[in-house]
């Protein structure tokens, strides 16, 4: 390949590269857009979220039992984290799902984290924690 052909190829490549990058400033930044419509009030910072108004499918019956037996469910979740991870946790919220309760917890030790635990509920006998 001679020098003239190389310069033509470089020129075409540079034109395509610059042509593709020319319109980048005109694109809307997705991160800077505010939420609108029905989801406007559903976004919250992770640090501020406590699990409130969290709903799982088919959890109405288990949710009622979990609320009635909330002391037992809280104790089961706290015992699980203490036995398994040797970590003390604070229960933030309890949400019923198909055949269990999802328990939102926050650690109270030097390592700070938020997580969930699933506590099984025996719906056939309307009891709190099974097992």
């Amino acid at each position: 390949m001679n020098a003239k052909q190389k310069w033509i190829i470089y020129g075409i490549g540079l034109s395509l590269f610059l042509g593709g990058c020319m319109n980048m400033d005109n694109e809307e930044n997705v991160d800077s857009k505010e939420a609108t419509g029905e989801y406007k009030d559903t976004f919250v910072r992770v640090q501020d979220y406590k699990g409130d108004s969290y709903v799982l499918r088919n959890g109405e019956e288990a949710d009622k039992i979990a609320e009635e037996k909330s002391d037992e469910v809280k104790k089961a979740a706290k015992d699980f984290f203490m036995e398994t991870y040797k970590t003390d946790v604070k229960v933030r919220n309890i949400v019923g799902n198909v055949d269990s309760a999802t328990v939102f917890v926050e650690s109270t030790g030097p390592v700070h984290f938020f997580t969930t635990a699933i506590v099984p509920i025996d719906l056939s006998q309307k009891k709190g924690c099974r097992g």
Side-chain angles (χ1 to χ4, degrees), residues 3-18:
K4 187 176 181 181
Q5 289 177 335
K6 285 184 183 178
W7 279 107
I8 291 173
I9 291 174
Y10 290 143
I12 292 172
L14 183 64
S15 297
L16 290 173
F17 177 72
L18 290 177

Side-chain angles (χ1 to χ4, degrees), residues 56 59 61-67 69-81 89 91-105 115-123 127-131:
L56 294 170
E61 189 175 349
D63 194 34
K64 290 175 189 172
I65 296 171
E67 290 300 324
K69 307 276 186 176
S70 65
D71 292 335
E72 190 177 344
V73 172
K74 287 178 183 179
K75 183 180 181 322
K78 287 180 179 184
D79 289 348
F80 169 76
F81 281 98
V89 294
V91 175
R92 307 286 292 212
N93 192 17
I94 301 172
V95 179
N97 56 21
V98 176
D99 57 354
S100 60
T102 302
V103 183
F104 289 83
V105 297
T115 189
T116 59
I118 307 295
V119 177
I121 295 177
D122 189 358
L123 295 176
K127 289 184 180 176
C129 305
R130 55 179 169 181

Side-chain angles (χ1 to χ4, degrees), residues 49-60:
Y49 183 63
K50 295 178 176 64
D52 297 334
S53 70
Y54 184 74
V55 179
L56 294 170
R57 290 184 294 181
N58 301 328
E60 295 84 15

